[in-house]
Amino acid sequence: MASPALNAAAAVGTAIHTTALSRGAVVAALASLARLPVSAAAARVRQQRRGLLTRKGPPKVVTPDEAVKAVKSGDRVFVHGVAATPATLLAALERRAGELRGVEFCHLHLEKPNPCARVEYADSFFTNNFFIGHNQRRPVAEGIASYVPVFLSEIPALMRRGLVTPDVALINVSPPDHHGYVSLGVEVAAALPAVQTAKTVIAQINPQMPFTAGYSFVHMDCLDYVCHVNEPLPERPTPPPSEVESRIGSVIAGLVSDGATLQMGIGAIPNAVLAGLTGHRNLGIHTEMFEEGVIPLIDAGVITNLEKAYLPGKIVTSFIMGTRRIYDYVHQNHSVAFMDAGVTNNPVIIGSNPKVTAINSAVEVDITGQVCADSVGTRMVSGVGGQVDFERGAALSRGGLPIICLPSTTKSGESRIVPTIRPGGGVITTRPHVHYVVTEWGYAYLFGKNLMQRAKALIAIAHPDHREALERAAFERFNITSWRA
């Protein structure tokens, strides 16, 4: 059973984010939450939280080196993530490595490397990743960094409840508008709660950061230190899909119906799906992130967002990444609403939309439907991210399709449909969460099926070269000699 605290918090979230509820429902939900005991840490965070109407006074305009003098030994430092990585501030902080000890970084994955994350700085800096990007895999393996297993939807709660609250937030923001508001730009997912809860906020004001809409704004007077930079955002072009990826995209596109609400990540498979949707109508997007593959469908009138229940008419996202094309697209574009991950990845909010089609990838899937997505054996390669948030949200959605997709084999030809997850591998999405699994050989529908039925369906979409061995393993596991009719 959910705790009273969780029930009250859920009521508050529903009241705030559901326009149909009355003002009285909002007041009642807030009142119930106010009666609950809170920890001293959470109360302290609540008292110091910064918001749209909070003011502390004009920030100090300084150089990057002067700004990072606010970081002290033992501080927890939030770093603006993904394509918003504040490289200038991180370079300045690296220059203080000799005088700092025990500084902890926390962030989503960074599209630019953190120069402080080196073995020679192990006494000075340590990183706790909420999601492991490619440039943090080696530090994690070397023991100078680690990983915090957490749903993307719950990262804001870690900060707001005083559990992983930053002392300092390093952010990369747009220039202010004529009202004095800067935008958090291309990553709001974790940056907004970090700014709201950090004791000190240091911003690099960057004209190359797009001014994004939604709940992405912070007033200049909420910032403590600012420095001016002109720093290009990192770009990641998506390569064209391979034949296998195109086949997977075609299978998924065939499952998508008109009026569906889409969630998809980055990479060739999501783009292959989008390429197969040109004949669809009234699609919407509610996602944790997207890239430029959606732009042609918006221009063609395929994506209208008109059927969505939550913020109809708008794309909802928490961050983006890609090339300058997508950064320019979201600049001052009020049809794209950036929210923190506590909103975008809330399964109840996700599930309020119709026909949510959640498309997420996996490292491997065992024959009972367990999904490993963050590791290869004991080697960590990514994180939980929003996979479970959206798989669950899609399951709650009327007509929703929770989809896990993967090529049937690795580059070396090993099967990715496996008898058991390899030792040390993490199960990110559990058996009861999994509905559809897609490979280039088709899809398996697992919801409501027993373990034997799941194994038979998954083996049918494994690579033909591996089906016989998988079937033998299944028969041995389930103590049978043939499939039951």
Side-chain angles (χ1 to χ4, degrees):
M1 292 181 62
S3 69
L6 289 177
N7 288 334
V12 171
T14 303
I16 290 172
H17 296 301
T18 306
T19 55
L21 289 183
S22 67
R23 181 177 180 275
V26 176
V27 172
L30 288 171
S32 66
L33 188 59
R35 289 192 294 269
L36 295 169
V38 295
S39 69
R44 186 166 58 251
V45 169
R46 184 177 60 191
Q47 290 168 0
Q48 71 184 34
R49 187 179 298 177
R50 307 166 196 233
L52 283 173
L53 302 179
T54 306
R55 300 288 188 273
K56 294 183 67 175
K60 294 179 181 179
V61 181
V62 294
T63 67
D65 290 285
E66 291 169 333
V68 298
K69 287 180 180 178
V71 177
K72 304 181 297 296
S73 291
D75 276 352
R76 177 181 290 128
V77 178
F78 171 82
V79 181
H80 207 166
V82 200
T85 310
T88 301
L89 289 173
L90 289 173
L93 196 55
E94 182 194 14
R95 292 190 283 272
R96 293 194 61 208
E99 60 189 271
L100 292 171
R101 290 293 180 270
V103 172
E104 174 198 341
F105 293 112
C106 61
H107 52 68
L108 299 177
H109 83 273
L110 305 180
E111 281 297 296
K112 290 183 178 180
N114 181 356
C116 302
R118 298 178 182 173
V119 171
E120 57 265 37
Y121 301 147
D123 292 336
S124 302
F125 304 112
F126 185 85
T127 300
N128 273 317
N129 293 275
F130 295 134
F131 190 94
I132 302 171
H134 64 281
N135 53 35
Q136 276 289 306
R137 290 173 185 168
R138 183 172 179 177
V140 169
E142 291 174 337
I144 61 170
S146 192
Y147 162 58
V148 180
V150 61
F151 300 128
L152 189 59
S153 62
E154 294 188 330
I155 293 173
L158 288 180
M159 300 181 193
R160 290 168 178 155
R161 294 178 188 173
L163 299 172
V164 187
T165 303
D167 297 295
V168 179
L170 304 181
I171 58 174
N172 188 3
V173 301
S174 73
D177 65 10
H178 61 282
H179 294 294
Y181 289 96
V182 299
S183 170
L184 293 169
V186 296
E187 193 264 281
V188 177
L192 181 63
V195 170
Q196 289 174 335
T197 59
K199 297 173 186 174
T200 302
V201 178
I202 302 172
Q204 57 175 58
I205 296 180
N206 185 5
Q208 302 208 40
M209 177 64 72
F211 195 96
T212 58
Y215 202 146
S216 61
F217 306 119
V218 180
H219 198 275
M220 284 283 286
D221 286 355
C222 293
L223 308 175
D224 297 291
Y225 300 94
V226 300
C227 59
H228 291 272
V229 305
N230 191 349
E231 185 182 302
L233 301 189
E235 298 189 39
R236 182 194 282 191
T238 300
S242 66
E243 178 190 354
V244 166
E245 290 163 338
S246 293
R247 287 166 61 187
I248 293 172
S250 179
V251 173
I252 295 173
L255 295 172
V256 177
S257 58
D258 289 344
T261 304
L262 304 178
Q263 175 263 330
M264 56 190 64
I266 190 170
I269 291 177
N271 279 346
V273 175
L274 292 170
L277 298 179
T278 55
H280 285 63
R281 299 177 60 189
N282 285 330
L283 300 179
I285 296 178
H286 182 117
T287 185
E288 68 190 46
M289 66 83 57
F290 69 95
E291 58 178 356
E292 59 209 48
V294 305
I295 297 176
L297 294 181
I298 296 169
D299 291 342
V302 173
I303 293 175
T304 64
N305 295 294
L306 295 178
E307 299 293 322
K308 291 170 55 199
Y310 184 76
L311 291 183
K314 294 180 182 288
I315 292 174
V316 175
T317 191
S318 68
F319 68 91
I320 60 165
M321 55 192 294
T323 68
R324 194 70 225 180
R325 183 186 184 195
I326 191 68
Y327 303 149
D328 290 340
Y329 180 80
V330 299
H331 179 60
Q332 296 182 338
N333 186 342
H334 290 273
S335 71
V336 182
F338 283 75
M339 304 284 183
D340 75 62
V343 177
T344 60
N345 286 53
N346 182 318
V348 175
I349 294 175
I350 294 165
S352 70
N353 292 305
K355 304 178 184 177
V356 172
T357 304
I359 305 165
N360 290 280
S361 61
V363 173
E364 58 187 10
V365 178
D366 79 5
I367 56 174
T368 68
Q370 295 187 113
V371 176
C372 176
D374 68 348
S375 54
V376 179
T378 59
R379 181 169 64 89
M380 300 301 304
V381 296
S382 58
V384 177
Q387 181 170 121
V388 178
D389 297 331
F390 275 92
E391 292 298 299
R392 189 63 194 145
L396 295 173
S397 166
R398 176 174 46 84
L401 301 176
I403 296 172
I404 298 292
C405 63
L406 71 169
S408 64
T409 61
T410 66
K411 291 179 180 179
S412 61
E414 297 176 83
S415 181
R416 293 174 67 169
I417 305 291
V418 294
T420 58
I421 301 296
R422 69 183 71 192
V427 175
I428 294 301
T429 303
T430 64
R431 297 181 185 109
H433 281 105
V434 178
H435 288 212
Y436 289 85
V437 178
V438 175
T439 72
E440 71 272 26
W441 300 100
Y443 70 88
Y445 184 63
L446 306 185
F447 187 55
K449 289 185 166 59
N450 66 32
L451 296 180
M452 296 179 191
Q453 293 168 330
R454 285 167 168 251
K456 183 178 181 181
L458 286 165
I459 291 169
I461 62 167
H463 193 282
D465 291 349
H466 297 285
R467 291 176 188 171
E468 183 178 348
L470 288 169
E471 188 171 69
R472 285 199 303 270
F475 287 179
E476 181 179 352
R477 177 170 183 170
F478 301 125
N479 197 26
I480 57 176
T481 57
S482 63
W483 298 115
R484 296 175 65 88

